[in-house]
Amino acid sequence: MVPDKNISSVGFEEIPSGSSYPTLNHSAGYYFNADKGRVLREYQLVYVTNGEGVLETENGGVFSIKRGMIFVLFPGEWHTYYPNYETGWSHYWIGFGGSEVEGWIKRGYCSKETPVFKVGINDEIVSLFRKAIYVANEEQSLYQQVLSGLVVYLVALMCSIDKNRCVGNGDFSSKIDYACVLMRELVEQSVSMQEIAVKSGMGYSLFRKLFKERMLCAPVQYFLNLKIQKAVELLTTTTISVKEIAYQLSFDSPAYFSARFKKQMGKSPVEYREEYGSK
């Protein structure tokens, strides 16, 4: 097993329909043959946010994996998994070890016989994975400890949701959560809320009404807030110019981006970078 408080790998990958798997971009050191399977030295969580596929493990057998499921890969156990060729899938993953997680396993919250958790498309879980990716890429002081804390919370949250069946794949709350996840994943693109509504399985009028009730703001405002959050990250952790950030986040123009940023953050992008950017 990997040492305590060790996060070995974290990331996100989108596998389009009609693609072979694993791709050549598969995480370094983790490439495997889907027909032969593999054995890992650490735990991994794999969260499928779109598409569907198959998981097979030595102790659990064959599982049909659908959107909104997390499955656990155990150290020392043979397994294989892959998306359906017709659908592909999008998935987050994180590899880890640690005594905290071992405690959850021993208390029976997760076992090799039942490694699949139905959590739905949960915005908080997606946020935890994305935060883990960000922390791992930055590698700031004590980042392994921060990642360890995120994993413990993530495992506890997925166990709680699955145990209480808080989310149903067919209900409206799940569809709104899925819309939030889509917006996070498409934050750098120019996408209409009508497109998000269609992808979430709703007409636009109903989608807008339910979104405002659940998220307390209109979908377009939520999407804009996500873009500003991403801009803050780029301004404080990179040297990319304000103009490049504006176009990367699909704003109509740098001037419009600067005006929206100042309205929300109280400072222009240049002023914000000067005050909070890495020295």
Side-chain angles (χ1 to χ4, degrees):
M1 167 172 286
V2 293
D4 193 28
K5 296 186 182 298
N6 187 284
I7 306 301
S8 54
S9 176
V10 59
F12 170 81
E13 189 173 22
E14 182 177 3
I15 311 299
S17 60
S19 301
S20 59
Y21 186 81
T23 66
L24 295 178
N25 294 326
H26 206 71
S27 184
Y30 291 89
Y31 190 86
F32 69 104
N33 185 308
D35 292 328
K36 296 180 179 179
R38 67 177 177 188
V39 176
L40 293 172
R41 296 175 55 194
E42 74 269 17
Y43 292 94
Q44 277 197 11
L45 299 182
V46 181
Y47 182 29
V48 176
T49 56
N50 205 9
E52 55 187 51
V54 174
L55 165 70
E56 183 177 358
T57 69
E58 181 179 352
N59 290 280
V62 179
F63 301 88
S64 177
I65 302 299
K66 299 184 182 300
R67 186 181 84 183
M69 292 182 178
I70 295 179
F71 56 87
V72 183
L73 304 175
F74 287 79
E77 182 187 41
W78 178 89
H79 66 267
T80 187
Y81 62 91
Y82 48 86
N84 288 347
Y85 188 79
E86 294 79 11
T87 65
W89 71 16
S90 299
H91 69 292
Y92 293 88
W93 76 87
I94 187 165
F96 57 91
S99 58
E100 298 95 335
V101 176
E102 290 283 3
W104 280 91
I105 305 302
K106 291 176 181 177
R107 288 193 291 271
Y109 290 103
C110 180
S111 70
K112 291 181 179 180
E113 291 72 29
T114 56
V116 180
F117 292 77
K118 297 177 181 178
V119 300
I121 302 301
N122 186 288
D123 193 40
E124 185 174 7
I125 289 180
V126 171
S127 296
L128 289 170
F129 272 104
R130 294 179 71 86
K131 180 65 174 177
I133 293 171
Y134 172 76
V135 171
N137 287 338
E138 290 300 302
E139 293 191 359
Q140 295 180 352
S141 177
L142 301 178
Y143 80 99
Q144 280 284 354
Q145 285 78 359
V146 173
L147 287 171
S148 178
L150 288 172
V151 167
V152 172
Y153 181 47
L154 178 57
V155 171
L157 182 60
M158 78 176 194
C159 289
S160 174
I161 293 174
D162 182 79
K163 183 178 178 64
N164 294 292
R165 291 294 192 270
C166 294
V167 177
N169 286 335
D171 64 20
F172 287 125
S173 63
S174 178
K175 290 181 178 181
I176 297 302
D177 281 340
Y178 179 58
C180 291
V181 170
L182 275 177
M183 290 186 209
R184 287 186 184 277
E185 294 179 353
L186 299 174
V187 69
E188 294 187 359
Q189 298 183 30
S190 177
V191 58
S192 72
M193 294 304 98
Q194 286 81 0
E195 292 176 81
I196 295 294
V198 170
K199 289 178 180 292
S200 302
M202 287 182 281
Y204 178 67
S205 296
L206 178 61
F207 167 67
R208 189 174 187 278
K209 176 179 179 293
L210 295 177
F211 194 98
K212 288 185 71 174
E213 289 176 358
R214 182 171 174 83
M215 305 307 295
L216 304 180
C217 67
V220 67
Q221 183 60 50
Y222 184 86
F223 193 44
L224 179 59
N225 290 343
L226 290 178
K227 286 180 177 289
I228 297 300
Q229 290 173 21
K230 182 65 176 180
V232 166
E233 176 187 324
L234 294 172
L235 287 167
T236 56
T237 62
T238 75
T239 58
I240 300 174
S241 71
V242 171
K243 181 178 179 180
E244 288 177 302
I245 291 174
Y247 288 127
Q248 182 173 325
L249 294 175
S250 298
F251 282 91
D252 291 339
S253 69
Y256 176 67
F257 163 62
S258 295
R260 296 298 311 188
F261 188 95
K262 186 170 184 177
K263 181 177 181 180
Q264 184 163 328
M265 303 304 299
K267 299 178 183 293
S268 71
V270 173
E271 292 170 337
Y272 195 93
R273 170 173 273 167
E274 288 176 350
E275 184 165 352
Y276 300 108
S278 300
K279 306 302 182 190

